[in-house]
Amino acid sequence: MGKRKINNSDMNRARYNRLKKILQQRKLFKLVCGAGNEDPEEVKRLAFIFTLAGSTMLDLSANADIVDAAAEGIRKAYEIAPLLGRDIRVKPYLNVSIGLKGDPHVRKAQINLDNCSKCGLCITVCQQKAISDDCKVVKYRCIGCGHCETICPKAAIQYISKRLDFNKILPLCIQRGVETLELHAAIDDDKAFLADWKIINNLIQGNFISLCIDRSLLSDEHLIDRIKMAYVLTGERLIIQADGIPMSGSENDDYNNTLQAIACADIVGKSKIPVKIVLSGGTNRKTGLLAKQCAVGVHGVAIGSFARKIVKEFISQDKFYDNKSLIKKAVSVADELIRVNLEAIGD
Ligand code: SF4
Ligand code: SF4
């Protein structure tokens, strides 16, 4: 009897079951390339390094070119892995992040040059190198973190938040290999939240979808009510990304920075809604350990700013792909970040 042909739906189910197991085993590590990061070369290099290091998910901007860049980074990682003696156990899941209008993850900074004194403080503080010497924001690099606005003495920085047509852009991303979606929903607008949540539920019916929320604009009760609303539509496919202080992870590798993420996860866990919980927002090397010390059970850790910061010196080199020792160093730094977190939450 011939073997049954494996079709797309079998593959999708296998990938769903694999992700479910990864979450049950508390082994999800998500590298956040940045919901607003539209720099294809940076994303390709990040995907390359973190695939080799064992990241199980890559979080990307809702942009087909960026999805292609990440896929190319993964392909390159598979190509070089045997030469580096590395075994890639799980092909990373590609996740695309979108946000409610106004959510910090999907905004871009804009400088009002009439108010700007050209002091240069914003240029120095911007980790993304997204502000030019003549004080203009390079949009594709800006991730909306807000560090420039905080430091600006002239209040010359505001944000613009463009509403994407999700029904147009997301199917394009899915065609290119995206398997899961995430909605950043920190904004206090339930009607807008439900409308967007329905869209992503319709688009991804056979895999997990993630709701990223924090406590900056929602009360603890409101946060739980929103999770309940999401759970009604999504059931066991729901991941809650418990965000501490969004995009604050580049600051310090300490407990204080990661504390809010643990507090948010604790509230979600105590609600007893049977969702999977992933920590984010200020996450660093200490995150898993702090969750363990606080007895807060989580299923994964997502790291963005901090993860990007620790590999930056390697991936920003010109001849990066030709330099095996540079690649090895970057992979080793990323590997350690993943390992310390997953060992701590998995105990
Ligand atoms: S500091 Fe953050 S918000 Fe400001 S330009 Fe840089 S990336 Fe954008
Ligand atoms: S910090 Fe403010 S005033 Fe200084 S260069 Fe930047 S935008 Fe201009």
Side-chain angles (χ1 to χ4, degrees), residues 35-71:
N37 185 355
E38 297 183 304
D39 181 340
E41 190 52 40
E42 185 184 330
V43 169
K44 183 164 54 167
R45 292 179 183 205
L46 286 168
F48 173 71
I49 290 302
F50 277 87
T51 298
L52 286 165
S55 183
T56 34
M57 191 177 275
L58 303 173
D59 187 36
L60 309 167
S61 165
N63 175 323
D65 292 341
I66 293 301
V67 175
D68 286 345

Side-chain angles (χ1 to χ4, degrees), residues 107-109 122 125-131 137 141-149 157 159:
R107 66 188 180 180
K108 302 273 180 188
C122 57
V125 84
C126 178
Q127 301 261 342
Q128 288 298 111
K129 299 202 183 321
I131 305 180
V137 176
R141 289 208 183 123
C142 174
I143 57 166
C145 66
H147 296 326
C148 54
E149 186 211 7
I157 302 181
Y159 301 103

Side-chain angles (χ1 to χ4, degrees), residues 111 115-122 135 148 151-154 156-157:
I111 297 176
N115 295 349
C116 169
S117 66
K118 300 271 185 342
C119 68
L121 286 170
C122 57
C135 300
C148 54
I151 207 162
C152 177
K154 296 287 178 186
I157 302 181

